[in-house]
Amino acid sequence: MARNGTGGDDRFADPALARVLEAVEASLHRVVADAVEAIWAQVPAYGRSSDERLREDVTYHVETVFRALLTSVRERRPAQPSDFPKTWSQARRRVRQGVSLADFLQAFRIGQLTLWDGIVAVTRGDADARDAAMALAGQVMHLIEVGSAVAAESYLDEQQFQLADSDRLRRDALEDLLARRDVTSGPKHALLRSAGLEPGARLVVISAVPVTPLTDDRLLRDAASSLRKAGARGTPGLTVVRQQEIVGLSPVPSGADEAVDRAGKAVAALERQGIRLAVGISTVRERLAEVPDAYAEACLAREGLGGQAGVVALPVLSCFDYLVLRDDPTARRLVRPELRRFIEEDVRREGVLVRTFLAYTACNLNAKTAAERLHLHVNTAYYRLERIAERTGCDLRSFGDVVELLIAVRLLAGPPGALGR
């Protein structure tokens, strides 16, 4: 029985194929080096990596895959997943080394194509060996297919593990902040710093819940991702899904206006996708130690929506708006029946008169300015204000009557922005 240099059984290999395998075996270290150079030249992510062990790992992996092909050829069978035991660990290392799945698979293919070039090179001047090598083309393609599948599966397994581990770390960091526990050292501290949440960072807290049940948990995670991306530019913040609630900590180094505006746009975009959220945003806080108080504010703001979709941002509310944001049963009972009837009926009819009244108060009781804001003819504005006065019994030129009606509207129709969504 003939034996080759690696101890494989060549009883069924023809002489030309045996010569190919022996030549490839003899030049294997050079082919491996060529493959590694090709990977570094064609996949920029490898050259950019700061991991000093990456090149050593790739060299080792390339050689083990090359030997898997030689083994399958000697055993006269196609490559199998069991031929790639080292690919599992190497794929996991690439995740930790910051190499993307696309880059990893590209490098894998480059390695096998370099091996094929090496096989062709050793057959020059030997027609029989060249014919034998051509017969290996299908096995090389099959090797790429099977090896890529193993590589992708193991890479994704590790990626999912790391994502789950990262999710746990984010949840733990948030829970520690809400419980006022110390996070000034260790992995949680590093996580918060990478999120732009230094101990003295200015921030707002966001609380969001779906107003209708979501049939798929992934939709809530997608919504959380959208809200995270809506944070101030350059400051990723921290976003965590807690059961059916999304909690976000958003740094606001230059004030809350941008974060509020971007959150509003994100919520509107999600609503167009069928994901309707009630979102509350806290006032600006000056340090991480205030996160529990900010979270309580965000929940209060969200609850002020009364189960409706929308955004209530405390940084843009007046003190008056905040005072009537709370759902106070006694205050609601004190609303006169005629005011309650007017507001409830108008809201059911899309709130045209209520919106006109709110514009009128926002414009310092100036009907002409309110008409311009609402894009109405001034006579239409006057007509609507007369109807409001008739139905409520309020004199809309009286400060006391206007304040009473405004409080009733805020209590019964919801916070600013709750109408006309």
Side-chain angles (χ1 to χ4, degrees), residues 153-171:
E153 182 181 353
S154 50
Y155 185 102
L156 292 172
D157 279 349
E158 177 65 18
Q159 191 176 60
Q160 286 297 109
F161 174 80
Q162 289 205 5
L163 286 173
D165 197 46
S166 177
D167 284 344
R168 284 193 293 271
L169 184 61
R170 287 197 298 271
R171 285 196 299 270

Side-chain angles (χ1 to χ4, degrees), residues 63-85:
E63 182 172 352
T64 60
V65 174
F66 286 4
R67 291 194 182 280
L69 175 68
L70 298 179
T71 298
S72 67
V73 172
R74 289 193 183 97
E75 296 179 359
R76 302 180 67 81
R77 61 171 177 78
Q80 302 168 353
S82 59
D83 291 324
F84 302 90

